[in-house]
Amino acid sequence: MERFLRNKDLIPNEKLKTVGIVGLGGIGSQLVPLLSIMGFNSIHGWDYDTLEEHNLSTTLYPQNALGKPKAEIAQAMTQMYAVHPDKMVFHNKPYDESCGTLPCMIVCTDDMESRKNLFDKWSALDNKDFFIDGRMGATTVELCTQTSRTPEHTYMDEWIPTDSVPKPPCSMKHTVFAAQFIAAQIVSQVYNIVGNLSYYDYINTCLSPHLVTYGNQIIPRINTEEYTYDRSTQS
């Protein structure tokens, strides 16, 4: 397809089938167009919130969509960017036990408990592929990744309950550059995983000043598609 001429030898589009996004706010609004442009055949999204004025300083959603459900706005966004707009499905509801869990899941919700609940559901799958958790503060972002090929890594090592997360003042919670940065990291991580490339299972990035801390490096063995683990933590 001419659309992917410039990256067809980089991104294996045949592996970009279906991905789920839970949380369609600041990070999710960035992910929807990026994953659509990347070439995912289908995106499923969940969010029960509506777009409010204070969201406009972080989200990619337009201001003329104020008051509309974020799921509805995300659905409209895919019509502009997706290869197959008819295969994009967004649900204006919370992600709960009644929702299906996909082998490829990305979570970027507002609380840690919903992230853990989704991780537990994903972990129970027999055909799981990747679970990516993107977290954002005003100038710090975290990326936690679990795949079917990294059994020795425990997602819970990087999980803490919501009430243990430091609460910044209401006027110092989020920035648009942090949302865009973590969204780009998530999409890059998807690229690494589907392309059978090396990646880190945990990345913490401070953006002011710029400082990065890494977890375990997951190194593929190209001939068997099995993974080895570099347990050294780098900064």
Side-chain angles (χ1 to χ4, degrees):
M1 184 182 290
E2 187 73 15
R3 171 173 178 154
F4 300 110
L5 177 64
R6 300 300 185 187
N7 52 41
K8 66 178 183 178
D9 292 330
L10 290 170
I11 302 174
N13 285 87
E14 71 278 4
K15 295 184 178 181
L16 304 181
K17 296 180 179 178
T18 303
V19 62
I21 305 173
V22 180
L24 300 170
I27 301 173
S29 72
Q30 319 270 347
L31 286 173
V32 169
L34 288 176
L35 294 172
S36 297
I37 293 169
M38 189 179 190
F40 265 92
N41 187 60
S42 178
I43 299 174
H44 290 240
W46 290 265
D47 201 306
Y48 62 95
D49 205 1
T50 57
L51 184 67
E52 300 181 48
E53 188 171 5
H54 67 262
N55 300 135
L56 294 177
S57 63
T58 309
T59 181
L60 277 187
Y61 299 142
Q63 58 187 5
N64 62 4
L66 281 171
K68 293 183 179 180
K70 292 177 181 176
E72 179 184 321
I73 309 168
Q75 182 84 54
M77 185 177 281
T78 62
Q79 305 307 297
M80 297 186 289
Y81 296 110
V83 179
H84 301 289
D86 57 313
K87 296 182 179 180
M88 306 293 154
V89 183
F90 291 84
H91 309 271
N92 182 28
K93 59 173 290 184
Y95 186 89
D96 56 28
E97 295 301 318
S98 68
C99 302
T101 305
L102 301 170
C104 302
M105 295 295 293
I106 299 170
V107 60
C108 39
T109 53
D110 290 334
D111 68 281
M112 299 298 289
E113 285 71 27
S114 62
R115 297 166 188 261
K116 180 181 180 300
N117 290 339
L118 177 56
F119 175 73
D120 289 342
K121 288 189 66 175
W122 177 86
S123 297
L125 294 178
D126 293 329
N127 61 336
K128 53 184 174 288
D129 193 351
F130 64 73
F131 180 90
I132 300 177
D133 182 342
R135 307 169 187 172
M136 175 183 69
T139 59
T140 302
V141 299
E142 285 183 282
L143 184 68
C144 302
T145 304
Q146 175 88 47
T147 76
S148 59
R149 296 160 290 190
T150 55
E152 297 182 36
H153 172 68
T154 302
Y155 171 78
M156 293 304 296
D157 288 348
E158 306 299 342
W159 184 90
I160 59 174
T162 301
D163 58 12
S164 297
V165 179
K167 293 180 174 57
C170 185
S171 59
M172 299 177 66
K173 282 191 173 182
H174 299 145
T175 56
V176 66
F177 59 84
Q180 291 190 335
F181 189 95
I182 186 61
Q185 274 195 323
I186 291 170
V187 176
S188 174
Q189 193 78 311
V190 171
Y191 162 72
N192 291 332
I193 294 168
V194 300
N196 193 33
L197 303 174
S198 175
Y199 65 91
Y200 289 97
D201 60 12
Y202 177 77
I203 307 173
N204 182 299
T205 307
C206 175
L207 301 172
S208 180
H210 201 88
L211 177 66
V212 184
T213 301
Y214 298 98
N216 302 311
Q217 185 177 15
I218 312 303
I219 304 171
R221 293 172 180 166
I222 302 301
N223 58 335
T224 62
E225 290 206 1
E226 294 179 355
Y227 281 60
T228 59
Y229 309 89
D230 181 351
R231 292 194 165 277
S232 61
T233 299
Q234 306 178 31
S235 299

